Amino acid sequence: MNPGKLKYRIAFWQKGEVTRDELGGKKPVEWNLVFALWASKSERSASRRELMGDHVNYVPVFFIVRKCNGKMPKVNMRIEYNTSVYDILNITEMENDYLEIEARLVKPS
């Protein structure tokens, strides 16, 4: 992997705790910024995947980041890049201390 291709700054967000209002109802879940890393971004041809018993077509987006101490992305996080939000579907370890993150677009810019 050429480190010069890591030219996009992406932010990783973690889901916050579920809180209740004064009447006992659930408040909307907040996402908290955890860290940001430099990444390369690529898209592949459309894919079909089963999500919650339903077949869904989507265009997988792949981000490649360098492993950093204390800054390890997890599958329960979200990625924000250029005001678009992505759910992380899979994280694969690559050679030379890089991670390939497969993501799905949740909210376009």
Side-chain angles (χ1 to χ4, degrees):
M1 175 72 193
N2 179 357
K5 292 183 178 181
L6 304 176
K7 58 184 177 181
Y8 303 106
R9 192 71 171 171
I10 61 173
F12 291 88
W13 295 76
Q14 180 80 42
K15 189 183 251 186
E17 295 289 321
V18 175
T19 56
R20 300 205 175 260
D21 60 15
E22 55 277 352
L23 298 176
K26 290 183 182 178
K27 289 184 178 180
V29 176
E30 294 182 9
W31 290 82
N32 303 313
L33 178 63
V34 181
F35 57 87
L37 294 174
W38 290 101
S40 69
K41 179 183 175 240
S42 64
E43 293 182 6
R44 303 215 177 123
S45 58
S47 178
R48 186 175 179 105
R49 180 174 259 192
E50 186 174 339
L51 293 172
M52 298 171 69
D54 220 3
H55 292 284
V56 178
N57 293 328
Y58 72 100
V59 176
V61 178
F62 290 86
F63 295 96
I64 295 178
V65 297
R66 184 181 288 151
K67 287 185 191 177
C68 293
N69 293 338
K71 295 183 179 180
M72 288 295 291
K74 297 178 184 138
V75 186
N76 62 350
M77 292 181 169
R78 281 188 169 176
I79 293 174
E80 182 181 17
Y81 165 68
N82 203 18
T83 69
S84 294
V85 177
Y86 301 86
D87 270 341
I88 297 176
L89 300 175
N90 190 24
I91 300 173
T92 307
E93 287 195 37
M94 300 173 64
E95 56 194 45
N96 299 331
D97 291 329
Y98 286 94
L99 299 172
E100 181 182 58
I101 302 169
E102 180 183 0
R104 174 177 53 98
L105 183 65
V106 175
K107 183 183 130 199
S109 57

